[in-house]
């Protein structure tokens, strides 16, 4: 990362990109079977998703009074690039946590985590959202946090000035 102080700006940029996507916001905000048919979120509602449904850290949901969906966004795996010591490589990690009872979007033929994965991938994969190059999909895996929440962790590779 560019001297590490740019991490704050990178997270802000990523947050801005995510909350501009109405479909992603609806999938996170509305815990109903067809969230994409719900009314668009206002600008205030989209900003309220930050730190209630979208976090800049690895966050594990505690006791919840409602069934919810969460994103945790953070950087990991910092290292010098093999081919150029003036570049740092790292990973953007996104944890997608969904209450198990709202995975299935009944009547739509869709599943909430896969729809969220799709929206994130459209915004991040092969795009310059953070760092000095386009970000590339690295890997994804199933995660189980507790008896109520599971989802996916996806990582995208990124590069920045050392």
């Amino acid at each position: 990362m560019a001297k590490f102080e740019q991490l704050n700006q990178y997270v802000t940029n990523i947050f801005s990109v995510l909350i501009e996507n109405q479909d992603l916001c609806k999938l996170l905000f509305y815990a109903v079977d067809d969230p994409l048919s719900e009314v668009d979120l206002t600008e205030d509602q989209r900003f309220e998703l930050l730190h209630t449904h979208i976090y800049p850290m690895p966050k594990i949901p505690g006791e919840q009074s409602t069934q919810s969906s969460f994103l945790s966004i953070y950087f990991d795996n910092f290292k010098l690039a093999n081919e150029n010591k003036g570049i740092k490589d790292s990973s953007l990690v996104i944890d997608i946590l969904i209450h198990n009872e709202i995975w299935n979007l009944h009547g739509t033929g869709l599943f909430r985590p896969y729809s969220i994965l799709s929206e994130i991938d459209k915004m991040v994969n092969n795009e310059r959202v953070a760092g000095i190059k386009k970000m590339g999909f690295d890997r994804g895996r199933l995660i189980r946090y507790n008896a109520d929440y599971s989802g996916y962790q996806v990582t995208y590779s990124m590069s920045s000035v050392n």
Side-chain angles (χ1 to χ4, degrees), residues 23-82:
D23 285 348
L24 177 65
C25 291
K26 288 178 184 183
L27 287 160
L28 294 171
F29 185 79
Y30 296 113
V32 298
D33 284 338
D34 192 3
L36 300 180
S37 69
E38 296 291 327
V39 65
D40 283 354
L41 277 69
T42 65
E43 184 175 2
D44 286 345
Q45 287 173 312
R46 287 183 285 128
F47 276 102
E48 287 172 12
L49 288 174
L50 302 175
H51 304 286
T52 60
H53 291 271
I54 303 172
Y55 295 93
M57 68 199 89
K59 173 124 172 98
I60 298 172
E63 284 293 317
Q64 297 291 317
S65 59
T66 60
Q67 299 168 343
S68 298
S69 303
F70 302 97
L71 297 180
S72 293
I73 298 157
Y74 51 98
F75 301 103
D76 198 10
N77 299 318
F78 301 98
K79 62 184 177 188
L80 289 175
N82 290 334

Side-chain angles (χ1 to χ4, degrees), residues 87-124:
I87 303 289
K88 285 181 186 164
D89 289 334
S90 62
S91 298
L92 169 67
V93 181
I94 303 174
D95 294 341
I96 301 161
L97 301 173
I98 312 293
H99 192 282
N100 294 331
E101 294 298 319
I102 61 171
W103 264 56
N104 190 355
L105 299 174
H106 299 281
T108 67
L110 301 173
F111 293 90
R112 191 179 309 266
Y114 306 136
S115 296
I116 291 172
L117 281 168
S118 175
E119 293 303 321
I120 290 170
D121 200 59
K122 285 188 257 184
M123 292 180 289
V124 176

Side-chain angles (χ1 to χ4, degrees), residues 142-159:
L142 178 70
I143 51 177
R144 292 181 187 95
Y145 275 95
N146 58 35
D148 294 322
Y149 283 88
S150 56
Y152 287 90
Q153 181 179 76
V154 291
T155 60
Y156 293 87
S157 58
M158 58 182 288
S159 298

